[in-house]
Amino acid sequence: MFARFRNARKSTARFFAFLSLAWLAACDVTLDPNANVGQEIDPDDPVQVALLVPGGSGEGSDAFLAQNFENAARLAISDLNGPKIELRVYNTGGSPAVAANVAREAVNDGAQIILGPLFAEAANAVGVAVAGDNINVLTFSNNASIAGGNVFVLGQTFDNTANRLVRYASRQGISRFAVVHGNDIGGQVGSDAISRAVQNNGGQVVTTQSYPLSQQGIFGATRGIVSSVRNSGAQAVFTTASANSDLPIVATALPDAGMDTSTAKFIGLTRWDTVPQMLALPGLEGGLFAMPDQSTSSLFQNRYSATFGSIPHPLAGIAYDGIAAIGALVASGNDQALTKDALTTPQGFRGTAGSFRFLPNGLNERALAVATIENNQVVILDSAPRSFGGPGL
């Protein structure tokens, strides 16, 4: 299990990297946070959409993702009833510099909105590159730190998941949270998101504990974590651990060392149902995690498989969502359909994993179900809402 850590760390680092070059570049363009950024369109003409994908990097995984994003986007276009979208695909090579260059090329080719790219540093570079052209960017990234201005994130964010789970836990009388995370970039970003969610919902983080991302490192930190959880009076242990890396050890080692999961249950920032073996871990019994509406997810997977003859990558659906949102807005006949005001419509959109909406700060809110594990089975405790009734995060 821990042989996967190197690859996991590499992928996480690409997704959550904070490159100083990108941040220095971001300082070159300052956008009014209240400005209604975005291109005016003629609703009778096809909308020009540039799709930026990670192809051309030489990595097979990037090429696979690139093809899945393009397939999903074209599938979404074929499903539109009325709105016309012309899609042009640009390879970023997984590079921020290349991504910025092809974004400028896309604008010169007539792009009115940009969909993608995936990796956070590339998305930040693209946002900066086209800010002066009044172009919005709907990136596939889930990195909350790059959101804002003309950049909107489509990926499922830690902030969204943490808020959903903390709100639910609060209704169950849980207000004192311990945060336990790996000491890598993803773990720290996840820990920060949990802390914000707890604070925003009137709870208290009573202790925060980290561990090295190795089997030996977790075992070495276990006794101190358990002692801290017990002494702090935490009612829940909110962990960033992932099912395909550190979660199996964390969920086993802490209870074995004396953590009472009946008084301090696990809450997971990541999904537990993606690896079937997780359902048999006694430490996760009765814990909480979030997941999207499986009925809509299955519909997309079946539609994609029937069209392209293969199972879609788990991230493919967000490319479909981006096109679906653009199409829904263009269908309104509004010449301001691609502006920030339109994109952040409170009612949101129907996506491949349920309802979602963009928020004025560039983040998104996705409707999630709250689930638990009972007798080695996933049980939905609170279904994903089908619509939005409040102002968002």
Side-chain angles (χ1 to χ4, degrees), residues 337-370:
L338 302 185
T339 63
K340 179 178 180 178
D341 284 352
L343 287 167
T344 56
T345 176
Q347 61 264 35
F349 312 95
R350 289 291 293 168
T352 56
S355 299
F356 73 98
R357 60 179 171 182
F358 296 111
L359 304 175
N361 60 5
L363 297 178
N364 68 69
E365 183 176 14
R366 288 184 172 271
L368 297 173
V370 175

Side-chain angles (χ1 to χ4, degrees), residues 82-157:
K84 296 179 181 179
I85 290 179
E86 289 189 1
L87 188 74
R88 291 191 182 185
V89 183
Y90 301 82
N91 287 321
T92 68
S95 160
V98 174
N101 288 336
V102 298
R104 294 289 312 132
E105 179 185 345
V107 171
N108 292 335
D109 290 340
Q112 295 167 295
I113 193 167
I114 291 176
L115 183 59
L118 172 61
F119 301 117
E121 61 271 25
N124 185 72
V126 168
V128 172
V130 303
D133 298 287
N134 203 31
I135 300 286
N136 282 319
V137 178
L138 309 184
T139 172
F140 302 140
S141 173
N142 66 349
N143 189 329
S145 68
I146 66 169
N150 63 330
V151 177
F152 298 84
V153 296
L154 270 163
Q156 171 62 45
T157 67

Side-chain angles (χ1 to χ4, degrees), residues 155-197:
Q156 171 62 45
T157 67
F158 283 163
D159 291 81
N160 184 67
T161 302
N163 269 287
R164 176 67 166 113
L165 288 166
V166 170
R167 285 173 181 165
Y168 179 84
S170 297
R171 294 200 300 269
Q172 312 311 308
I174 297 173
S175 61
R176 297 172 61 82
F177 296 82
V179 180
V180 176
H181 66 92
N183 62 1
D184 65 339
I185 295 175
Q188 186 59 61
V189 171
S191 174
D192 291 344
I194 294 168
S195 296
R196 284 193 294 270

